[in-house]
Amino acid sequence: MPLDQLNHPIIYFDNAATSWPKPAAMMAAMINYNELIGGSPGRSGHQRSLDAGRVILETREALAELFGCDDSLRIAFTKNATEALNIALSGILNPGDHVITSSMEHNSVMRPLRYLESQGVQLSVVSCSGDGRLDTEDVRAAIRPHTRLLVVTHASNVTGTIQPIAELGEIAGRHGILFCVDAAQTAGSLPIHVDEMVIDLLAFSGHKSLFGPQGTGGLYIREGLEKQLRPLMMGGTGSRSEFEGQPDFMPDKFESGTPNTIGLAGLGAGVRFVLTERVETIRSKEEMLTTRFLAGLAVLPGITVYGPPDAANRTSVVSFNITGVSPSEASLELDERFGILCRPGLHCAPAAHRTIGTFSQGTIRFGFSYFNKDEEIDLALEAVRSLAGGDAPH
Amino acid sequence: MEEQRYVVFLFPSVSYALKAEKILKVARIAHKLIPVPRHISSDCGVCVRITEDKQQDVERELLGKVEWDKVLLL
């Protein structure tokens, strides 16, 4: 078990915020870049600059393979999923457009949409069920003649509820509506195929289930759509330097300024780890851990679990509450007495907490990773039992 | 003996040139990444140089995989 700075064992269950630990290859790739490459990609023709560009290309190609995308240059890198979502939403929506989203969205979707609403964009927030599931019939009913975009999270960061992305993509495609997916919680932990799921815009985080460092993320943009999408930032791209207008092609249009090359070196190693282990294997391990935890919680007194009852319909995220103990108190106790690291509160998703009935107290959230072990789940269940005032089993 | 002539493939940006490089490595076609000659463009990027006789082979390999702006004789 990993140790904290005072050599006490810790159990890291905050993987839905950022994953830890990372594969050893991630750190090795970052050290390799810093020691042996170090150049600015796309800016010069010297060998270190080209090597830096090759590092970034390899990361793009690995992601394209993971998402079933034919052309890796359709992926633009950003500093996180939030930036990617901001490019997608504020880049495509104009006053008078109608956009549909779900009531389970993170603020990385909700806040840009609320801002755009104040600028004249019409917004429909479709209510989800108490366990966070979006009904495709409700989405169909919300479509208007001028609906431009459907934006939905692949899986909730609060309850782990997996949305029916392929069906939603099919509905959007049939109605000529663009489809944007927030894959912050699922890229690397659930299969994603941009063509089969009819996804036009896919925003992903690099530092969660793709095992990259923080400061990495990206946006897949369907061919041709980049012409209609305004960039958030403009500036130097290393290309078309003789012109003062922003390039209009992928990925340069959305990648102004020197990129986070060292971070993207790490992300590449993380994605290659996922490709080698296989998403299906990772998913199966995480589902087993989640099933074990849910089964353990089910027999404890005073525990309320949110989200789908079955691990098959959720990611490895479990939100719960202990009767008589606030989430913030519980997480402090879990940290200080048991070395269990998790996240209490609203998880930047107030709409999701309203949907599941936990606003404004929030929940205790555990997020498991491929690197967690059965023993850690069992120790956590004992800790929760202790906080809930239950007796240890004899 | 006739002097070897070269052509260069110019791309929208370095990302495209590097993607082309990767494809040509797999296809085992001799090539070299060089800075874009000033007399061709004031762009500060790189281009792919090949011998003239390989132009059609290179176009066939890149078609549908990576777009290029133009091909010029050096």
Side-chain angles (χ1 to χ4, degrees):
Chain A
M1 204 172 286
L3 302 175
D4 68 10
Q5 289 172 343
L6 298 172
N7 273 348
H8 300 139
I10 62 150
I11 297 177
Y12 187 84
F13 281 164
D14 198 16
N15 291 285
T18 198
S19 62
W20 189 89
K22 310 287 187 182
M26 182 209 91
M27 192 59 81
M30 294 175 74
I31 291 171
N32 181 69
Y33 167 79
N34 236 17
E35 288 186 346
L36 301 176
I37 303 175
S40 177
R43 264 56 178 177
S44 321
H46 63 73
Q47 52 179 303
R48 294 293 184 96
S49 167
L50 293 175
D51 280 344
R54 289 180 185 113
V55 164
I56 290 184
L57 177 71
E58 288 305 324
T59 303
R60 252 191 256 281
E61 299 255 291
L63 284 161
E65 184 181 338
L66 184 68
F67 298 143
C69 156
D70 294 343
D71 181 1
S72 62
L73 298 177
R74 308 241 40 96
I75 296 167
F77 288 117
T78 58
K79 68 173 181 284
N80 44 39
T82 297
E83 186 186 351
L85 287 162
N86 272 267
I87 293 172
L89 300 176
S90 61
I92 207 77
L93 292 169
N94 295 305
D97 286 342
H98 176 235
V99 53
I100 301 171
T101 194
S102 87
S103 71
M104 288 303 285
E105 301 306 308
H106 188 275
N107 269 346
S108 55
V109 167
M110 221 45 117
R111 284 182 172 168
L113 287 183
R114 289 299 181 194
Y115 170 75
L116 289 163
E117 187 182 30
S118 77
Q119 303 299 302
V121 169
Q122 295 168 28
L123 171 62
S124 295
V125 180
V126 177
S127 295
C128 296
S129 62
D131 64 2
R133 176 99 175 168
L134 180 61
D135 189 327
T136 54
E137 282 310 312
D138 294 340
V139 172
R140 227 187 286 266
I143 294 172
R144 300 178 193 168
H146 58 296
T147 302
R148 177 109 166 97
L149 181 73
L150 169 65
V151 50
V152 173
T153 186
H154 190 176
S156 162
N157 70 308
V158 173
T159 56
T161 312
I162 299 168
Q163 303 298 9
I165 290 303
E167 286 172 65
L168 292 166
E170 199 261 324
I171 292 169
R174 195 140 32 82
H175 288 82
I177 298 167
L178 295 171
F179 186 39
C180 176
V181 174
D182 170 7
Q185 291 294 323
T186 56
S189 65
L190 287 182
I192 293 175
H193 195 289
V194 290
D195 289 334
E196 288 171 9
M197 294 173 164
V198 207
I199 295 170
D200 296 299
L201 296 153
L202 179 80
F204 59 92
S205 161
H207 63 96
K208 299 183 198 245
S209 296
L210 293 177
F211 298 118
Q214 291 172 25
T216 60
L219 179 67
Y220 158 82
I221 301 170
R222 180 165 298 287
E223 188 176 1
L225 191 54
E226 75 275 11
K227 306 288 182 205
Q228 303 171 47
L229 207 59
R230 288 178 295 270
L232 265 193
M233 298 201 305
M234 286 164 260
T237 57
S239 53
R240 303 277 157 93
S241 297
E242 66 273 41
F243 299 112
E244 293 185 354
Q246 184 74 359
D248 63 351
F249 52 83
M250 290 294 296
D252 300 39
K253 185 173 183 181
F254 307 99
E255 289 187 350
S256 290
T258 304
N260 175 14
T261 313
I262 187 167
L264 296 175
L267 175 59
V271 177
R272 285 189 287 277
F273 174 83
V274 169
L275 288 169
T276 305
E277 297 292 307
R278 295 174 48 80
V279 174
E280 292 74 11
T281 311
I282 290 170
R283 168 65 183 157
S284 150
K285 165 87 182 283
E286 291 186 356
E287 205 175 317
M288 272 165 44
L289 292 168
T290 309
T291 299
R292 191 179 186 93
F293 186 62
L294 288 172
L297 281 185
V299 298
L300 294 183
I303 303 290
T304 308
V305 182
Y306 304 94
D310 190 346
N313 296 314
R314 58 156 85 212
T315 57
S316 56
V317 166
V318 179
S319 261
F320 63 98
N321 269 320
I322 304 170
T323 305
V325 187
S326 77
S328 50
E329 286 171 313
S331 76
L332 187 63
E333 293 276 310
L334 287 167
D335 184 352
E336 292 189 338
R337 284 175 54 197
F338 303 99
I340 296 170
L341 314 184
C342 63
R343 180 168 173 196
L346 293 178
H347 315 100
C348 295
H353 280 281
R354 283 196 181 90
T355 304
I356 66 171
T358 49
F359 189 86
S360 61
Q361 166 179 266
T363 57
I364 306 158
R365 182 185 73 179
F366 282 11
F368 311 122
S369 116
Y370 188 53
F371 291 110
N372 284 126
K373 296 184 167 59
D374 286 351
E375 306 87 270
E376 294 176 311
I377 302 284
D378 296 345
L379 286 166
L381 285 166
E382 276 314 302
V384 173
R385 175 195 295 278
S386 164
L387 292 184
D391 295 329
H394 298 290
Chain B
M1 201 175 92
E2 197 179 310
E3 195 185 336
Q4 181 64 63
R5 302 212 308 172
Y6 291 100
V7 296
V8 287
F9 278 67
L10 301 178
F11 297 91
S13 76
V14 176
S15 302
Y16 292 70
L18 292 173
K19 191 175 178 196
E21 176 194 54
K22 189 176 178 186
I23 293 165
L24 297 182
K25 273 182 190 165
V26 172
R28 296 175 177 277
I29 298 176
H31 63 280
K32 188 172 181 177
L33 278 181
I34 61 165
V36 176
R38 292 290 293 180
H39 70 277
I40 291 176
S41 163
S42 57
D43 194 84
C44 49
V46 292
C47 57
V48 172
R49 191 189 72 180
I50 51 156
T51 55
E52 190 186 14
D53 59 316
K54 290 284 187 294
Q55 182 176 339
Q56 284 188 346
D57 294 345
V58 170
E59 285 179 357
R60 196 166 45 241
E61 287 296 332
L62 301 187
L63 199 66
K65 293 181 193 156
V66 58
E67 63 180 276
W68 63 90
D69 282 339
K70 50 190 160 184
V71 185
L72 294 170
L73 195 63
L74 267 192

